[in-house]
Amino acid sequence: FVSFDNSGKEFDEYYSSMVTPNTKEQWLSLEYSKSRELAKDLTEVFGVRGFPSLVLLNKDGTILSNNARSNVTKYGAGCFPWDDKSIERGEEDLLKKEEEDIVSQRKQGGCTVVRRLLRPIGSVKYDANDRVLEFGNAFSTAFLDENVAKQGVL
């Protein structure tokens, strides 16, 4: 963990909450008071443009992903180590899940079938039982079966 907090006190407060869920082990971190210059250098080396960021490195120190935060958030632990092959597998799994959800909606009969049209896989979720349509953190587009939405506002 590399901190960009404004003070040592802020760092201590935030860092104290950073433990692994299962083992309750503290994350590894650069010491705040001794790492200001190194932290700046690391943002340059890894092209960090926003916070929080996650950069994954191979064993040899080469960059596996400098945009790992979005990959980890989108695909979860099942895509570890979040390399290209793992991400491809994750996308295939999400597409399969979307298709299974559509089949399930159709099997229920009498309900509206909703599917993702644009934006990231997994960004649109529809619960046919509760009739809840959920959009993820993207400007996603969904569409309804044409027998439901012919024109105008639903």
Side-chain angles (χ1 to χ4, degrees):
F1 173 69
V2 179
S3 170
F4 285 87
D5 290 305
N6 293 317
S7 70
K9 182 181 179 193
E10 283 182 17
F11 167 78
D12 290 341
E13 288 173 8
Y14 186 64
Y15 183 65
S16 68
S17 70
M18 301 178 90
V19 294
T20 57
N22 295 333
T23 63
K24 304 297 182 204
E25 292 177 275
Q26 190 73 45
W27 288 21
L28 299 177
S29 175
L30 297 177
E31 189 176 334
Y32 180 82
S33 62
K34 297 179 181 176
S35 63
R36 300 303 78 221
E37 285 302 314
L38 178 57
K40 289 177 189 172
D41 292 343
L42 289 172
T43 60
E44 229 175 271
V45 168
F46 295 116
V48 173
R49 299 286 176 251
F51 302 103
S53 291
L54 179 62
V55 176
L56 296 177
L57 305 174
N58 290 307
K59 290 178 183 178
D60 64 2
T62 57
I63 298 173
L64 178 64
S65 172
N66 62 357
N67 187 24
R69 179 179 175 263
S70 67
N71 289 339
V72 171
T73 300
K74 183 175 180 180
Y75 301 110
C79 282
F80 177 80
W82 304 285
D83 56 8
D84 291 340
K85 188 175 180 180
S86 300
I87 297 301
E88 186 177 314
R89 185 184 72 240
E91 287 181 348
E92 289 170 1
D93 291 348
L94 286 173
L95 280 171
K96 183 179 175 187
K97 169 91 170 81
E98 280 185 353
E99 289 305 316
E100 289 170 354
D101 288 348
I102 290 166
V103 168
S104 173
Q105 290 175 51
R106 287 198 172 112
K107 281 183 180 177
Q108 288 181 18
C111 75
T112 304
V113 176
V114 178
R115 73 167 62 221
R116 175 187 58 86
L117 180 62
L118 296 174
R119 292 299 178 219
I121 300 165
S123 65
V124 176
K125 296 177 184 160
Y126 178 64
D127 183 329
N129 292 325
D130 293 335
R131 296 182 178 212
V132 173
L133 183 59
E134 178 184 331
F135 291 90
N137 293 334
F139 291 104
S140 301
T141 303
F143 70 97
L144 309 174
D145 277 350
E146 62 221 25
N147 61 343
V148 175
K150 298 191 187 313
Q151 67 180 9
V153 179
L154 298 177

